[in-house]
Amino acid sequence: MTIYIDDDQLLFHLQGNNTSYVMQVIRDGYLAHLYWGKRVHSYRGSNKIIFMERGFSPNPDASDRTFSLDTLPQEYPAYGNGDFRIPAYQIQLDNGSIVTDLRYKKHRMYKGKPKLKGLPSTYVEDDNEAETLEIIMEDRMLGLTATLAYSLYADRDVITRSVQFDNQGSQNLKILRALSTSVDFRDDEFELITLYGAHINEKNIERRRIVPGIQMVDSCRGASSPQQAPFLALVRKGTDEDQGEVYAFNLVYSGNFTAQVQVDPYRNTRVSIGINPFDFSWLLEPGETFQTPEVILVYTAKGLGDMSRIYHDLYSKRLCRVPFRDRVRPILINNWEATYFDFDAEKIEQIANEANQLGIELFVLDDGWFGKRDDSKSSLGDWVVNQRKLPNGLADLANRVRNLGMEFGLWFEPEMVSIDSELYRTHPDWCLQVPDRPHTLGRNQLVLDLSRQDVCDYVIKALSDILSDAPITYVKWDMNRHMTDIGSMALSPERQRETAHRYILGLYKIMEEITARFPNILFESCSSGGGRFDAGMLYYMPQIWTSDNTDAICRLKIQYGTSLVYPPITMGAHVSSVPNHQVGRMTPLETRGYVAMSGNLGYELDLTKLTEEEKEAVKEQIALYKEIRPLIQFGRFYRIFNPFDGNEAAWNFVSEDQSEAAAYYFKVLSQPAAPLRTIKFKGLHPDYVYENVESGELFGGDELMNVGITLSTIKQDFSSMFWRFKKHSV
């Protein structure tokens, strides 16, 4: 791994173990993109840019009608001086114009990877893990510079990109668009993969051929959203789990985003991703800077599975942070679907007592413990204990749970406020709002204005008081509505369109402060499930509630789609009661357990209502998961059968040393005259002999991967199978 720089030709070659990324400063200071793909030992310009005259493509130099920015592959393109494609940035001047002209000024390279001011990002623990190249572009007339930062990770085939704008001039500038990455490809032979969905139906995989024009996914909801994810991948035709070229982009950001692909008339493809320019601007005064979020770029020629494992390895080791990054995650019971708002201390203690006897390690008290909260209509923002439900306080309940031998966790929704709350009555100006317009409610609540420092200070203090008062080791941080009436009573008119981004910066500031104050609390992010499952949140909270949909069959797709980018250790996955509360389906307890064991196992049901047979089955599930938990949470994940393609799903986990594996198979509906199926496992060592832990049978790793195991016929809907293999010691 290294970054090669030819200072004479101003050519930059970022070379990883299996990938190369090449760019060059060409005539008059333009930064051109030359190549991104499979690693080359040395780039000598074999794919030269061919300059030719194109109709309606303007020319910066009137004497050369073959040179146009409209056809030049660029690293960070502008609009207004000849390129009619999607720009990476737009700046408005005091005179109202938006024409800017960034040209190469200088570059610098150093070992390591810097933090981004106010934003989450991947990191290094040793400067030798990465090298960073900064290319400084300048508009001399404005005194504006844009520092394009590229960090190349050793041994990971990962490049990160971000941009910092500096106003070194004398006039105010207004940023209208500041994307984090733009990449130009010189062909359009791609299919586009994105992740779409809705509440309780997150992370569906969409794959389609790209066509001339713009294909875009985005969010203008104030959150990364369940509707679209801040991720896209371009893949070559025929690419599958195990082979084919993949070019992937994932934004480390939790707010409004855009990710788009544009195919121009000459079959060139431009990919760009970053903060959504819709309803966004940022006033950049002289001497000020603006930092864009980070984008993680991954290239592989080994298919979607390899892309996922590259992301999984990076995010689990260099995005999630210690101490919980390296700790096994506890098995929990959450009372939400068991009680909803209707509980008291005695009911909670009864559930906790049953949980302890089954081997569960953590009790999580969900919504309803604070203020006068008996339904979703009141008390958000009033983070004081509900004395009617918990007359002896939260610390008393927590200690009662701990005396049973379990840890205690708590639900919060810190970003919201109810109109029926003491907080709103005292500070009605503290929510997002537009003057003289009525509020738009969502789930009977409003969004606190986290662009304000006083609001952030309140949230930090209110949460800190609770977390300091009781022995709490886990927090579920929820966010159950998206932004409307986006405006701040604390911002001037020319800064109102900064509100949504300032909100996210305020949220990150709160999370940084709270997680630093309470380093031994495990924080789990939630947004009605997977409504904010993104890389930005994982920097502060190393696991996320994957979906409010706990139905095991729905979860096959939800967890499979989520795994495209995010590792299983980040996914909260619970066994719930049947009929399922979201879809009404009846599924076997074994299948519910195996699906939930494929992430961070938990339970969300009333344990006091289980039969003795069910309790024994849950006890066995928990005992098994404790045995294989390090493998599931820290092993490599391989997808085998895709539930989006048919009636079954399968995946397996392999330890890093390949000495142990666990595999799961799920069949949705039983079928008449069904063909016999063989499952071929992945990621094993071909030269190892593995023992089937249950049967004692011995198989070579190559046999398990290439020949496979014939699946037995099960005449039951929603059936499942499980295998566990260990390296056999001769």
Side-chain angles (χ1 to χ4, degrees), residues 567-620:
I569 192 173
T570 66
M571 296 185 212
H574 294 177
V575 176
S576 63
S577 62
V578 291
N580 175 263
H581 290 200
Q582 289 77 49
V583 299
R585 198 186 331 263
M586 299 287 291
T587 52
L589 181 57
E590 178 182 75
T591 296
R592 284 178 274 155
Y594 286 159
V595 173
M597 284 187 210
S598 300
N600 284 318
L601 176 63
Y603 290 81
E604 194 152 335
L605 41 71
D606 191 342
L607 297 174
T608 65
K609 296 180 180 179
L610 296 183
T611 66
E612 290 304 315
E613 182 180 4
E614 288 172 329
K615 289 179 184 179
E616 187 59 32
V618 168
K619 193 173 184 178
E620 290 176 2

Side-chain angles (χ1 to χ4, degrees), residues 185-243:
F185 298 87
R186 292 191 234 171
D187 71 291
D188 68 340
E189 296 297 316
F190 296 107
E191 293 173 343
L192 171 64
I193 295 177
T194 57
L195 298 170
Y196 76 95
H199 174 230
I200 68 174
N201 186 28
E202 298 89 343
K203 299 296 189 294
N204 292 276
I205 299 174
E206 173 66 22
R207 181 168 177 168
R208 58 196 183 275
R209 180 77 168 84
I210 64 172
V211 297
I214 298 173
Q215 293 105 108
M216 179 179 76
V217 294
D218 74 340
S219 173
C220 55
R221 295 169 167 266
S224 51
S225 88
Q227 281 72 23
Q228 298 287 350
F231 162 83
L232 66 80
L234 293 183
V235 301
R236 297 297 184 183
K237 184 178 180 180
T239 295
D240 58 24
E241 278 293 306
D242 305 308
Q243 59 84 35

Side-chain angles (χ1 to χ4, degrees), residues 161-403:
R161 287 186 59 177
S162 65
V163 182
Q164 179 178 293
F165 290 92
D166 291 87
N167 185 356
Q168 300 173 1
S170 58
Q171 66 171 298
N172 288 340
L173 302 174
K174 181 168 282 191
I175 300 175
L176 305 180
R177 176 189 296 258
L179 302 185
S180 298
T181 294
S182 182
V183 177
D184 284 350
F185 298 87
R186 292 191 234 171
D187 71 291
D188 68 340
E189 296 297 316
F190 296 107
E191 293 173 343
L192 171 64
I193 295 177
T194 57
L195 298 170
Y196 76 95
H199 174 230
I200 68 174
N201 186 28
E202 298 89 343
K203 299 296 189 294
N204 292 276
I205 299 174
E206 173 66 22
R207 181 168 177 168
R208 58 196 183 275
R209 180 77 168 84
I210 64 172
V211 297
I214 298 173
Q215 293 105 108
M216 179 179 76
V217 294
D218 74 340
S219 173
C220 55
R221 295 169 167 266
S224 51
S225 88
Q227 281 72 23
Q228 298 287 350
F231 162 83
L232 66 80
L234 293 183
V235 301
R236 297 297 184 183
K237 184 178 180 180
T239 295
D240 58 24
E241 278 293 306
D242 305 308
Q243 59 84 35
E245 286 193 300
V246 182
Y247 302 83
F249 303 76
N250 190 219
L251 186 66
V252 185
Y253 187 63
S254 307
N256 294 335
F257 75 91
T258 184
Q260 44 204 337
V261 176
Q262 181 179 29
V263 179
D264 73 13
Y266 310 110
R267 302 288 183 171
N268 301 303
T269 302
R270 173 169 289 175
V271 178
S272 50
I273 186 169
I275 295 172
N276 198 334
F278 175 80
D279 198 35
F280 165 83
S281 67
W282 192 274
L283 182 61
L284 195 66
E285 296 181 349
E288 291 186 339
T289 65
F290 180 84
Q291 175 66 56
T292 73
E294 179 173 272
V295 176
I296 312 298
L297 282 68
V298 168
Y299 167 81
T300 178
K302 299 177 182 177
L304 292 167
D306 192 56
M307 175 208 75
S308 297
R309 285 184 289 279
I310 292 171
Y311 275 121
H312 293 181
D313 179 69
L314 179 72
Y315 287 174
S316 62
K317 297 177 181 176
R318 291 297 179 266
L319 178 66
C320 298
R321 296 185 291 176
V322 294
F324 291 99
R325 180 194 72 184
D326 303 320
R327 293 182 187 172
V328 294
R329 309 294 167 75
I331 301 168
L332 65 84
I333 176 70
N334 183 297
N335 72 295
W336 179 241
E337 289 193 15
T339 67
Y340 293 104
F341 293 104
D342 185 17
F343 63 84
D344 55 23
E346 283 64 39
K347 177 62 177 178
I348 296 303
E349 189 172 10
Q350 290 172 13
I351 297 174
N353 185 56
E354 292 287 350
N356 176 58
Q357 294 181 42
L358 298 176
I360 293 174
E361 300 158 326
L362 167 68
F363 184 94
V364 179
L365 180 62
D366 211 281
D367 195 356
W369 59 267
F370 55 93
K372 300 175 181 178
R373 183 83 162 172
D374 293 318
D375 53 37
S376 63
K377 296 179 181 179
S378 76
S379 301
L380 286 174
D382 296 344
W383 300 111
V384 292
V385 176
N386 185 324
Q387 293 292 329
R388 183 180 63 81
K389 293 181 181 180
L390 306 175
N392 295 318
L394 199 60
D396 172 74
L397 178 61
N399 283 317
R400 287 160 72 174
V401 169
R402 290 172 65 87
N403 288 338

Side-chain angles (χ1 to χ4, degrees), residues 340-541:
Y340 293 104
F341 293 104
D342 185 17
F343 63 84
D344 55 23
E346 283 64 39
K347 177 62 177 178
I348 296 303
E349 189 172 10
Q350 290 172 13
I351 297 174
N353 185 56
E354 292 287 350
N356 176 58
Q357 294 181 42
L358 298 176
I360 293 174
E361 300 158 326
L362 167 68
F363 184 94
V364 179
L365 180 62
D366 211 281
D367 195 356
W369 59 267
F370 55 93
K372 300 175 181 178
R373 183 83 162 172
D374 293 318
D375 53 37
S376 63
K377 296 179 181 179
S378 76
S379 301
L380 286 174
D382 296 344
W383 300 111
V384 292
V385 176
N386 185 324
Q387 293 292 329
R388 183 180 63 81
K389 293 181 181 180
L390 306 175
N392 295 318
L394 199 60
D396 172 74
L397 178 61
N399 283 317
R400 287 160 72 174
V401 169
R402 290 172 65 87
N403 288 338
L404 293 171
M406 301 172 66
E407 298 297 307
F408 183 78
L410 197 61
W411 177 97
F412 285 93
E413 192 170 3
E415 303 167 58
M416 303 295 155
V417 61
S418 303
I419 289 179
D420 182 9
S421 68
E422 292 303 316
L423 180 63
Y424 182 80
R425 285 185 279 271
T426 305
H427 297 286
D429 58 321
W430 276 14
C431 63
L432 295 178
Q433 57 189 290
V434 176
D436 304 319
R437 296 283 183 183
H439 292 311
T440 304
L441 290 174
R443 202 172 177 260
N444 301 300
Q445 59 199 53
L446 301 173
V447 183
L448 286 173
D449 181 4
L450 301 189
S451 73
R452 299 176 56 138
Q453 184 61 48
D454 50 358
V455 177
C456 292
D457 290 342
Y458 169 79
V459 172
I460 291 170
K461 184 180 186 306
L463 267 63
S464 295
D465 287 347
I466 291 292
L467 297 178
S468 299
D469 184 57
I472 295 166
T473 59
Y474 167 100
V475 165
K476 179 181 178 182
W477 184 301
D478 212 343
M479 189 275 284
N480 285 315
R481 64 154 293 181
H482 290 153
M483 293 182 189
T484 56
D485 316 319
I486 302 175
S488 173
M489 300 296 284
L491 292 176
S492 58
E494 67 271 17
R495 290 193 178 273
Q496 284 299 316
R497 293 181 70 186
E498 301 175 9
T499 304
H501 181 57
R502 287 186 178 275
Y503 176 100
I504 296 298
L505 295 178
L507 173 64
Y508 289 154
K509 185 186 302 181
I510 291 171
M511 290 182 170
E512 184 69 44
E513 178 69 23
I514 289 290
T515 56
R517 286 189 185 186
F518 302 95
N520 293 315
I521 292 179
L522 172 60
F523 287 85
E524 179 177 275
S525 177
C526 175
S527 178
S528 288
R532 203 164 58 184
F533 201 127
D534 60 67
M537 298 306 295
L538 286 178
Y539 181 76
Y540 304 98
M541 302 186 180

